[in-house]
Amino acid sequence: TTDNNGERYSVRGTPASSGFLVKGETENEVRDPCAMTFAYWDKRILEQDHLINPQTGEVVDVAVTDEGLDRIRVDGREMAARRSRLTAEGLDIRLWYDDSERWLALESRIEDEYLLSYRAIGR
């Protein structure tokens, strides 16, 4: 369940004969029994072509592009990282992982006006 500033959402997932059944705002059958949510800290997200929105239960088609090596400031120091771009309808997200495949950072524009930025700490 999610409370988004007073707007409540509820999602439930259960195994189904052909994969996974997700009931939220709508009901979606996911043929992949190992379907993932938008779990950015798990680098396997970059191997997916669809993800489950954990707030609504919607199955979202995504595309991932490797944008190559980059440098990023995390936890007070600059470090090398591989940057990827995850896009979907209404989403454009940049993700950074180190050479040990640990998630370092996320950036995304919100409403074309604000920058949402997450950085790992204690690395």
Side-chain angles (χ1 to χ4, degrees):
T1 59
T2 304
D3 183 334
N4 185 5
N5 293 326
E7 189 172 350
R8 294 186 183 274
Y9 298 90
S10 180
V11 174
R12 182 171 304 276
T14 56
S17 60
S18 62
F20 195 69
L21 184 62
V22 181
K23 294 180 182 180
E25 292 180 352
T26 61
E27 187 173 302
N28 298 289
E29 191 166 349
V30 183
R31 302 232 181 265
D32 181 354
C34 294
M36 290 184 69
T37 63
F38 284 81
Y40 307 111
W41 53 89
D42 186 338
K43 191 174 180 191
R44 291 177 298 170
I45 194 173
L46 302 178
E47 300 166 8
Q48 308 305 307
D49 58 9
H50 61 273
L51 296 166
I52 298 171
N53 180 326
Q55 183 171 318
T56 64
E58 177 186 10
V59 178
V60 180
D61 291 330
V62 297
V64 176
T65 306
D66 181 345
E67 294 191 328
L69 293 177
D70 195 6
R71 296 204 58 82
I72 189 165
R73 189 161 198 81
V74 177
D75 203 18
R77 62 189 174 113
E78 188 170 300
M79 55 190 357
R82 179 159 296 278
R83 185 179 70 216
S84 297
R85 181 178 182 185
L86 186 145
T87 56
E89 186 175 331
L91 293 175
D92 189 359
I93 301 167
R94 296 287 192 299
L95 297 161
W96 286 264
Y97 296 87
D98 69 10
D99 59 358
S100 298
E101 299 187 353
R102 291 179 301 181
W103 174 72
L104 297 174
L106 172 150
E107 287 185 354
S108 181
R109 287 271 167 212
I110 300 174
E111 300 171 6
D112 295 328
E113 189 174 344
Y114 304 101
L115 178 66
L116 174 68
S117 179
Y118 291 112
R119 295 288 191 271
I121 58 173
R123 293 283 178 190

